[in-house]
């Protein structure tokens, strides 16, 4: 009896020079190798999704986050070529964005302007269904600033 896996994906946004920037990683694993993606990973058995999001953020970027806010849940069975993975997508605030350092499954981590990411999304250079997640993040941030 097969069951889907659960994952947490994380959006971290910062302001720099009056522009919004988003934290993305370059994937180091086999799946979507070299593609840009939101930091994230599988939720461990017995772990709350919010805790998993904070753990994955720290593992992949060395950043310490707080107050995960739910953006959405993504469960299309075709979203991950490795199998049926349901992702819970969170917006997380970080105390000190300057401590960024890629680790674990991330070969690289950096801040990107929203325009750059929109271009990457259009060119299908974002891993999995992260172009959809990016668009939903923009809506989430717009509603949050109202």
């Amino acid at each position: 009896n097969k069951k889907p896996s659960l994952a947490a994906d994380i959006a971290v946004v910062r302001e720099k020079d009056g522009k919004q920037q988003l934290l993305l990683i370059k994937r180091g694993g086999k799946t979507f190798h070299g593609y840009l993606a939101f930091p994230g990973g599988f939720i461990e058995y017995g772990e709350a999704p919010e805790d998993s999001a904070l753990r994955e953020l720290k593992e992949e970027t060395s950043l310490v986050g707080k107050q995960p806010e739910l953006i959405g849940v993504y469960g299309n069975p075709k979203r991950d070529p490795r199998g049926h993975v349901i992702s819970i997508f969170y917006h997380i605030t970080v105390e000190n964005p300057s401590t960024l350092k890629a680790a674990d499954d991330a070969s690289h981590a950096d801040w990107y302007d929203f325009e750059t990411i929109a271009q990457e999304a259009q060119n299908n250079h974002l891993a999995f269904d992260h172009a959809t997640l990016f668009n939903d993040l923009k809506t989430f941030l717009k509603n949050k600033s109202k």
Side-chain angles (χ1 to χ4, degrees):
N1 193 0
K2 289 176 88 170
K3 291 187 171 117
S5 300
L6 279 178
D9 287 308
I10 302 112
V12 178
V13 180
R14 74 169 184 184
E15 287 279 327
K16 185 159 191 211
D17 305 325
K19 276 188 165 173
Q20 279 190 318
Q21 291 187 324
L22 183 60
L23 174 64
L24 293 179
I25 61 154
K26 253 200 183 103
R27 288 193 46 87
K30 284 187 183 136
T31 314
F32 286 104
H33 182 84
Y35 277 67
L36 290 174
F38 288 100
F42 291 105
I43 297 169
E44 293 174 1
Y45 188 84
E47 186 178 42
E50 298 88 347
D51 295 338
S52 173
L54 293 168
R55 175 183 54 77
E56 284 289 346
L57 178 65
K58 191 167 187 340
E59 282 178 7
E60 293 194 347
T61 68
S62 309
L63 294 176
V64 176
K66 61 179 186 176
Q67 299 165 321
E69 296 175 89
L70 181 66
I71 298 173
V73 177
Y74 304 82
N76 182 329
K78 304 260 185 278
R79 69 178 296 277
D80 190 325
R82 298 169 296 186
H84 188 181
V85 179
I86 296 170
S87 173
I88 305 171
F89 187 36
Y90 292 99
H91 175 263
I92 292 181
T93 305
V94 295
E95 286 286 314
N96 189 355
S98 66
T99 57
L100 178 63
K101 184 175 170 293
D104 199 32
D105 298 337
S107 66
H108 183 75
D110 210 346
W111 300 97
Y112 294 87
D113 291 341
F114 272 54
E115 301 81 49
T116 305
I117 300 163
Q119 195 61 54
E120 294 291 331
Q122 216 170 6
N123 296 333
N124 289 324
H125 291 166
L126 297 184
F128 308 105
D129 57 354
H130 289 196
T132 302
L133 274 65
F134 174 62
N135 287 327
D136 289 356
L137 169 67
K138 290 192 292 188
T139 304
F140 170 85
L141 293 172
K142 205 179 289 170
N143 292 337
K144 195 177 155 128
S145 67
K146 282 182 182 170

